[in-house]
Amino acid sequence: MTDETIRVWDYLTEYEQERDALMGAVDTVFRSGRLVFGDSMRAFEEEFAAYHDVPHCVSVDNGTNAVKLALQALGVKPGDEVITVSNTAAPTVVAIDAVGAVPVFVDIDPDTYLMDTAAVEAAITPRTTCLLPVHLYGQCVDLAPLEALADAHGLRLLEDCAQAHGARRHGRIAGSAGHAAAFSFYPTKVLGAYGDGGAVLTPDPEVAERLRRLRYYGMAERYYVVETPGHNSRLDEVQAEILRHKLRRLDDYIAARRAIAARYAEGLAGTGLTTPRLAPGNDHVYYLYVVRHPRRAEILGALATRGIELTVSYRWPVHTMSGFRHLGRKPGTLPVTEAMAEEIFSLPMYPSLPVAAQGRVITALRELLAG
Ligand SMILES: *Cc1c(COP(=O)(O)O)cnc(C)c1O
């Protein structure tokens, strides 16, 4: 890659713009005398809960563990079935597997690539204990039918919000509807740390208390007695303080992403690329800008030669991965998921993407595809 390469995600421009605040955050922590479990973590948890208007936030060390610990705190046990999608980041499913539960996949909607909520009821069995929708690419799954099913069947509802910080559907913010919601602060995410991080939101004080123990070896803080063995899954103070700074800027980042999305939609009209479609009432945050075209391989190759990096999220549906073949979902059993996986790809998207760089991407695609 040359200096001129346009990457699908980059933080270096943002770092230059925000360097004083970021280095200030690091210095605040280093001078505080506490590097884990200190004031920055506690303040971030309060501020992140308040942003969502949800009573409790328990921070953890990454998004995978946020899903894993949330499942455990909600009482999901080995052998339980958890209904989710195969078109997601593998960690959603890895976390289900890690607690010994069985992932059960439903197909996706061909317009939004989100969980086909109409398919969920038929997937419920006596062993189902949890529904795990993923607000993929920055757009919210319609939770109303899932809440109704959860009520009717006594299931837990866990939202995977790793790609949807600040996204809303009919005004309701992602992470505020379920029994719990898991977030990742992996650097590329809409709210990203300068390293790893994660958090769980929950309205339930008992779930929050279980999460606090699970992330700290299974101990109640200050009592140092393990009742149920847990994990070590703490958010460190440096990342927490950086996340406090970035949370204050989150709405600006989202606005920048939306402006980029609007320029793509306008610039790519008439090229035959299918640009993102919004489900009714959705305020998309464009974690990824995912488009679709039958000639994907040719497009990726042609743009690479012009110094433009495109990626595929996700090229291999989770149920087709060798590590999940034991689940017995043969290729062909999730036809929409599998068909979309052949054609989708992601264009460069991050808040500080320069307008000129985006213009190069649009021009390259137009020259290749239009007319
Ligand atoms: C990123 C992501 C995760 C995992 O987060 P990490 O912080 O990388 O562990 C889980 N689910 C989804 C949908 C993600 O995009």
Side-chain angles (χ1 to χ4, degrees):
M1 292 211 277
T2 67
D3 284 353
E4 295 299 303
T5 299
I6 301 170
R7 299 174 64 193
V8 83
W9 177 80
D10 205 332
Y11 71 93
L12 291 171
T13 304
E14 175 194 282
Y15 178 60
E16 286 309 318
Q17 291 164 351
E18 301 184 19
R19 192 168 163 197
D20 289 347
L22 292 163
M23 295 316 283
V26 174
D27 191 53
T28 298
V29 171
F30 284 5
R31 297 177 67 156
S32 75
R34 242 168 129 193
L35 299 173
V36 287
F37 261 10
D39 292 344
S40 296
M41 182 196 80
R42 271 176 261 276
F44 173 70
E45 289 178 342
E46 269 172 35
E47 290 156 8
F48 196 65
Y51 182 86
H52 294 84
D53 200 16
V54 170
H56 307 282
C57 171
V58 179
S59 60
V60 294
D61 55 347
N62 60 60
T64 309
N65 285 338
V67 178
K68 188 171 96 181
L69 270 56
L71 288 166
Q72 289 183 326
L74 291 173
V76 173
K77 300 262 175 328
D80 288 5
E81 292 178 358
V82 177
I83 299 176
T84 191
V85 286
S86 181
N87 179 41
T88 181
T92 307
V93 185
V94 168
I96 296 171
D97 182 78
V99 305
V102 181
V104 173
F105 301 114
V106 295
D107 215 341
I108 56 171
D109 176 277
D111 287 331
T112 61
Y113 316 117
L114 297 172
M115 176 182 260
D116 176 4
T117 55
V120 172
E121 185 157 26
I124 296 174
T125 77
R127 289 165 66 196
T128 309
T129 56
C130 185
L131 306 180
L132 178 33
V134 182
H135 301 310
L136 201 71
Y137 305 149
Q139 175 161 224
C140 294
V141 177
D142 184 8
L143 294 179
L146 300 183
E147 290 176 285
L149 286 174
D151 278 349
H153 296 266
L155 308 175
R156 315 318 309 269
L157 178 59
L158 171 60
E159 298 173 66
D160 185 336
C161 297
Q163 304 194 357
H165 313 71
R168 288 171 188 268
R169 184 156 181 148
H170 296 302
R172 198 156 69 155
I173 193 163
S176 64
H179 297 106
F183 288 82
S184 164
F185 308 122
Y186 182 74
T188 65
K189 309 285 180 173
V190 177
L191 178 60
Y194 276 65
D196 276 312
V200 182
L201 294 179
T202 179
D204 184 334
E206 286 172 25
V207 172
E209 184 51 32
R210 281 199 285 277
L211 284 163
R212 284 193 198 96
R213 290 174 192 235
L214 282 167
R215 74 167 171 193
Y216 190 55
Y217 317 118
M219 292 179 187
E221 225 183 304
R222 281 188 263 282
Y223 293 103
Y224 307 106
V225 174
V226 173
E227 287 165 7
T228 306
H231 312 271
N232 175 6
S233 190
R234 297 179 293 243
L235 180 68
D236 78 72
E237 287 289 286
V238 171
Q239 297 307 337
E241 193 61 30
I242 287 172
L243 285 165
R244 293 185 69 201
H245 157 71
K246 293 193 70 177
L247 180 59
R248 291 190 281 272
R249 302 227 43 217
L250 178 57
D251 291 343
D252 295 335
Y253 299 141
I254 292 170
R257 287 175 180 274
R258 287 191 180 130
I260 293 165
R263 285 199 294 272
Y264 273 137
E266 198 191 329
L268 298 172
T271 55
L273 282 168
T274 305
T275 52
R277 293 191 183 136
L278 268 62
N282 247 295
D283 297 320
H284 203 310
V285 294
Y286 298 102
Y287 167 57
L288 297 176
Y289 193 86
V290 175
V291 298
R292 196 163 97 218
H293 197 285
R295 279 154 56 203
R296 177 176 74 193
E298 177 195 337
I299 297 169
L300 265 59
L303 266 69
T305 63
R306 300 174 68 153
I308 298 167
E309 179 193 34
L310 307 176
T311 55
V312 180
S313 299
Y314 296 91
R315 195 181 283 271
W316 296 284
V318 179
H319 72 286
T320 67
M321 296 179 179
S322 54
F324 291 105
R325 248 178 239 144
H326 61 277
L327 297 172
R329 288 306 291 251
K330 301 215 164 25
T333 57
L334 295 167
V336 183
T337 299
E338 291 166 34
M340 298 303 130
E342 301 284 327
E343 296 190 351
I344 53 175
F345 57 99
S346 308
L347 306 186
M349 169 60 83
Y350 50 94
S352 57
L353 176 65
V355 174
Q358 187 185 6
R360 263 180 61 200
V361 178
I362 292 171
T363 301
L365 288 166
R366 291 200 70 83
E367 285 177 6
L368 187 67
L369 297 170

